[in-house]
Amino acid sequence: MPQAVQFDNYGDIHVLEVREVPRPVPAAGEVLVRVRAAGISPGESVIRAGVLHDRWPATFPSGQGSDLAGVVEEIGSEVLDWSVGDEVIGWVDTRASHAELVAVPAANLVARDPAVSWEVGGSLFVAGTTAHANVRAVDAGLGDTVVVAGAAGGVGSLTVQLLRRAGATVIGLASEPHHEWLQDHGVIPVTYGDGVADRIRAVAPEGIDAFVDTFGNGYVDLAIDLGVAKDRINTIIDFAGAARTGVKSEGMDGSANAAVLAELVKLAAAGDLEVPIAASYPLTEVREAYRELMRRHTRGKIVLEP
């Protein structure tokens, strides 16, 4: 029987178990994918803790994960675009990708380019489409100066690159060990912490046009203090701060589709978008993977490899 990550009640990483589960059976419009890599994300931790129960309630036993890359093992009766053996990148909306086998809607898949590693492909959908949506949410383009909080994280590292491709000058808030990577990608690194507002003003004396918050911890208020218009501030994590201040809290909606994913795969294959892989873990070490993620100091994505 295939293995999958599941949990029976809300809690910390200790509720996670790797269990044998019945082999999924693809519906008529689905394919069965043998997962080679599946990214993990902070949102999964928040959902697992029950903090977002009102927004995204879990049904127990609950699985985990959206991102995936793998090989088609079986196709549903109505699937015409995929064949057994195809290498694919995609996602599920059923929180089930942290598993050896997953039934995936055929429309949620794009072809894996051989130049895109399994780890990168399995980490691309959530972070990549959220980064794509961030650029759109703050309407960033040529001539804009944009600050990104959490600039070296899973979403932040892709957001800064897409902002640069849009023509913006990008200031990335990150700890010093990540500064060289940011500089190598055309980003102006600034250390977070006490005095960050003054450090931002020092590197952007003409002001800040937009602000993307991928970290929380008061950055919404910092953006307002820097004089950024509320409709050009987007947070993907501080929903309470957004409700209090009236700034945007747009996630991946509008970008979470196969067309955008295919565009991201193309950029990654051409070497025009780097998806940093901080670490890879076997499925059986899912707790350790999330323990590392919760430290919030990794560059890029952490990946499970069933």
Side-chain angles (χ1 to χ4, degrees):
M1 297 177 70
Q3 292 187 320
V5 175
Q6 291 188 339
F7 60 99
D8 293 327
N9 51 271
Y10 291 128
D12 62 17
I13 59 173
H14 297 96
V15 302
L16 296 175
E17 296 184 3
V18 179
R19 301 170 175 167
E20 290 188 342
V21 297
R23 179 183 174 91
V25 177
E30 295 180 331
V31 303
L32 186 65
V33 176
R34 183 165 291 278
V35 179
R36 293 288 300 271
I40 69 174
S41 67
E44 290 287 345
S45 295
V46 178
I47 291 172
R48 187 192 65 239
V51 175
L52 298 179
H53 176 77
D54 291 340
R55 183 180 290 217
W56 293 303
T59 301
F60 301 114
S62 176
Q64 281 201 149
S66 299
D67 295 329
L68 62 91
V71 181
V72 175
E73 189 154 303
E74 186 179 341
I75 60 173
S77 60
E78 297 179 1
V79 175
L80 302 177
D81 296 334
W82 301 107
S83 301
V84 172
D86 286 345
E87 297 181 351
V88 294
I89 294 170
W91 78 97
V92 291
D93 297 317
T94 52
R95 304 191 59 242
S97 71
H98 296 168
E100 292 180 324
L101 290 171
V102 184
V104 185
N108 288 14
L109 297 170
V110 301
R112 182 181 83 96
D113 189 300
V116 177
S117 71
W118 290 113
E119 293 83 359
V120 167
S123 303
L124 196 51
F125 177 74
V126 171
T129 60
T130 303
H132 185 277
N134 277 333
V135 177
R136 185 192 65 248
V138 299
D139 192 26
L142 187 65
D144 286 328
T145 298
V146 185
V147 175
V148 178
V155 174
S157 62
L158 302 186
T159 299
V160 297
Q161 293 178 74
L162 294 182
L163 285 167
R164 291 290 295 130
R165 289 187 61 81
T169 297
V170 182
I171 298 169
L173 306 186
S175 59
E176 291 186 4
H178 300 305
H179 284 196
E180 183 177 356
W181 183 90
L182 290 170
Q183 289 174 325
D184 289 344
H185 290 78
V187 179
I188 301 168
V190 169
T191 303
Y192 60 82
D194 292 343
V196 65
D198 290 336
R199 290 191 291 275
I200 292 171
R201 292 187 180 102
V203 298
E206 297 184 4
I208 304 301
D209 299 295
F211 197 110
V212 174
D213 170 31
T214 74
F215 194 84
N217 199 34
Y219 282 116
V220 165
D221 296 302
L222 173 63
I224 293 173
D225 290 344
L226 289 169
V228 182
K230 291 182 180 181
D231 63 353
R232 301 199 71 188
I233 301 170
N234 190 54
T235 179
I236 63 168
I237 189 168
D238 188 0
F239 302 118
R244 174 173 53 82
T245 61
V247 307
K248 292 182 175 179
S249 58
E250 296 181 10
M252 65 178 75
D253 290 348
S255 293
N257 57 67
V260 170
L261 179 58
E263 177 185 338
L264 296 169
V265 170
K266 184 177 180 180
L267 289 173
D272 294 328
L273 179 69
E274 180 187 351
V275 183
I277 302 300
S280 298
Y281 289 85
L283 191 69
T284 52
E285 294 182 16
V286 62
R287 294 183 183 179
E288 289 301 315
Y290 273 97
R291 183 175 286 114
E292 180 169 350
L293 180 72
M294 289 161 58
R295 297 188 183 107
R296 306 193 77 181
H297 290 295
T298 55
R299 182 188 308 153
K301 296 291 294 182
I302 297 174
V303 187
L304 296 175
E305 296 181 300

